[in-house]
Amino acid sequence: MDVLSIEEEDRALAVVLDEDPDVVAVLSLQLHVLGMESRCYRRADVLLEEIDECEPQLVIMGLEFGDPDGIALLRLLAERRYAGWVLLLGGVERKISRIAERVGHTLGLQMLGSLDKPMRMTELRQRLDRLHLGRKPAIAPEDDPFFSAAELDRALERHELTLHYQPQFELATGRLSGVEALVRWSHPEIGLIGPASFLPMLTAGQSRRLTCHVLEQALADAEQWAGMGVVLSLSVNVTADDLMESQLLSLTRHRRPGEPPLVVLEITETAAMDDELLGSEIAARLHLNGMEVSVDDFGVGFSSLSRLQMLPISELKIDRSFVRNLQQDSQDAAIVEAVALLGRRLGIRVVAEGVEELDCLPTLARFGCTHVQGFGLSRPVPADMIPELASDQSPIRARIAASGALAGNTP
């Protein structure tokens, strides 16, 4: 085998499905330049016939190409337990692309968002850089869950579930103001595993245990940071069922009122609005015990604004799907602006999630968002890196200042 053949074999494989031959040709060339092998198809049925054999790590597909349509094809890929990534091509109304993305996520596919036509090399490179594609696709789960309940129990007992922290910055000053605790599984054989691979398999009881474990570990880390003079708010993701866990209160009961860190419990908008729990005694007691409630992924569900007014909520987090296309989509911009205005009128913090490109910061500041987080500012980091990040924020502040974001008032 010659050197060229070895290089081609080492390339990750992407398959492209679109009816437009110009689109297919451009994408094929771009993928080759970016170091990927590609195969191109104009019919979905042919792709499905060959996908098990060629095992691509990436499927790039349009949504309009006859029968089956793009959304139906997503279902067929899920039925075949396709374990690679899926990148959608634009060309349809953005709302349709978003529906397709949500369908793919619901089906368990690894969705990489959508790419507008004409495709720009820089955008495609940014998407592929996140994947760190290897030679083989991810392991597909069998009929039984890849991780059993017993394995997850052992992981909890052995303290294999560790925390990384997503930094959150105050937009007006650029200072590190808080962190969001994100769980990772340090598996002894597989290595570091992201939450998407095991959180859906947790039982309700395991979920409550994990939430308490995360809060306990995060409070311990925050106490160490405070000893170094670093005081930050601490956000922990919870479910509606988790809020019924009495241990949440006992874990923070030793703290005096107003004593740092400020603990923020994040619950998704759907759970917050569909469950009366947040308007009940538990939510009030959390508030009285010095914890705050944040509505995560705000804008994705359908909220009752009168209900939002009645709940003891201190923070709204705008879903990343609106922030990502803020500069290109006027509807996204209108939604972000409306949520920021709502937050200002209610006197609560408004956090923009998923900031990847800093050119959106001036717009977020003008709309009235108070805090930002995302890979464009910092990726999640281990606990021991937080003090260093807090003490040397000049690069972050410089990046925010260079973006043109203006100082403003923070509730």
Side-chain angles (χ1 to χ4, degrees):
M1 180 181 294
D2 59 27
V3 174
L4 180 61
S5 299
I6 295 174
E7 289 178 352
E8 289 296 323
E9 181 178 327
D10 288 340
R11 287 175 173 236
L13 174 63
V15 296
V16 180
L17 176 64
D18 197 274
E19 287 189 328
D20 188 333
D22 292 332
V23 169
V24 170
V26 170
L27 264 175
S28 180
L29 178 61
Q30 290 177 338
L31 289 165
H32 180 78
V33 171
L34 294 175
M36 293 192 72
E37 180 187 352
S38 64
R39 297 187 185 181
C40 303
Y41 300 87
R42 296 183 64 181
R43 289 174 47 192
D45 57 344
V46 177
L47 180 148
L48 288 170
E49 287 175 5
E50 300 184 10
I51 198 167
D52 291 335
E53 179 181 346
C54 64
E55 295 185 327
Q57 291 175 283
L58 175 65
V59 171
I60 304 177
M61 52 177 277
L63 291 171
E64 291 183 304
F65 45 79
D67 187 19
D69 60 54
I71 294 178
L73 178 57
L74 291 175
R75 294 191 174 278
L76 292 171
L77 287 173
E79 288 176 5
R80 291 173 178 265
R81 301 184 183 278
Y82 172 63
W85 292 85
V86 178
L87 175 62
L88 302 179
L89 292 176
V92 298
E93 188 179 353
R94 190 174 293 277
K95 291 179 180 178
I96 302 300
S97 294
R98 281 191 180 148
I99 291 171
E101 286 182 48
R102 294 182 68 181
V103 168
H105 281 300
T106 302
L107 293 169
L109 295 173
Q110 298 188 95
M111 303 302 295
L112 199 57
S114 58
L115 190 68
D116 290 332
K117 299 177 183 178
M119 293 72 62
R120 296 194 307 168
M121 176 78 80
T122 54
E123 291 182 358
L124 182 58
R125 177 183 287 111
Q126 287 171 357
R127 302 297 176 89
L128 299 185
D129 283 348
R130 303 179 204 166
L131 304 186
H132 306 292
L133 292 169
R135 178 60 188 158
K136 294 182 179 179
I139 301 173
E142 303 297 334
D143 292 335
D144 295 324
F146 182 62
F147 300 111
S148 67
E151 284 180 292
L152 293 169
D153 275 333
R154 286 194 294 270
L156 284 166
E157 293 168 1
R158 296 172 180 173
H159 303 288
E160 294 173 358
L161 298 179
T162 61
L163 298 184
H164 281 51
Y165 294 92
Q166 174 67 58
Q168 186 179 101
F169 298 91
E170 187 179 57
L171 188 52
T173 64
R175 73 178 181 91
L176 178 66
S177 57
V179 292
E180 178 182 351
L182 303 173
V183 68
R184 303 285 189 266
W185 185 353
S186 183
H187 196 284
E189 297 175 0
I190 301 175
L192 204 62
I193 301 173
S197 297
F198 62 89
L199 287 185
M201 301 172 188
L202 294 175
T203 65
Q206 287 175 327
S207 177
R208 288 192 292 270
R209 284 180 58 199
L210 177 60
T211 298
C212 290
H213 167 76
V214 169
L215 181 55
E216 189 172 25
Q217 181 60 57
L219 285 169
D221 289 337
E223 187 174 337
Q224 286 193 341
W225 301 332
M228 303 177 193
V230 178
V231 179
L232 306 169
S233 66
L234 187 64
S235 298
V236 176
N237 292 278
V238 299
T239 67
D241 287 338
D242 292 336
L243 291 178
M244 290 299 296
E245 177 56 62
S246 60
Q247 193 177 351
L248 282 179
L249 292 177
S250 65
L251 285 172
T252 60
R253 199 161 279 153
H254 65 283
R255 297 166 58 237
R256 294 185 297 272
E259 182 182 1
L262 170 64
V263 178
V264 181
L265 301 181
E266 295 187 14
I267 187 167
T268 60
E269 179 186 1
T270 302
M273 299 306 153
D274 289 347
D275 200 305
E276 291 288 348
L277 175 63
L278 283 182
S280 71
E281 174 189 354
I282 287 291
R285 291 177 63 197
L286 291 171
H287 196 75
L288 290 172
N289 279 267
M291 287 185 276
E292 295 189 353
V293 176
S294 169
V295 178
D296 197 10
D297 300 338
F298 190 79
V300 175
F302 294 91
S303 305
S304 165
L305 296 183
S306 61
R307 214 167 184 190
L308 182 64
Q309 181 188 26
M310 297 297 295
L311 298 176
I313 288 172
S314 303
E315 179 181 276
L316 295 178
K317 301 189 79 171
I318 304 175
D319 187 70
R320 68 189 66 244
S321 63
F322 302 112
V323 177
R324 182 175 60 212
N325 300 306
L326 178 66
Q327 301 295 88
Q328 295 81 32
D329 192 311
S330 60
Q331 291 186 357
D332 286 351
I335 290 172
V336 173
E337 185 175 19
V339 174
L341 176 60
L342 176 64
R344 290 205 308 272
R345 292 291 173 86
L346 295 177
I348 59 181
R349 297 183 302 275
V350 178
V351 182
E353 294 187 287
V355 172
E356 297 183 359
E357 302 296 331
L358 300 190
D359 59 356
C360 70
L361 293 181
T363 304
L364 292 172
R366 187 174 71 252
F367 287 167
C369 292
T370 58
H371 295 74
V372 289
Q373 66 181 64
F375 287 3
L377 295 162
S378 175
R379 287 180 173 271
V381 298
D384 58 6
M385 291 183 63
I386 291 296
E388 179 183 353
L389 188 61
S391 64
D392 183 19
Q393 296 183 61
S394 53
I396 296 295
R397 292 182 177 181
R399 294 174 75 185
I400 291 179
S403 73
L406 303 175
N409 295 322
T410 301

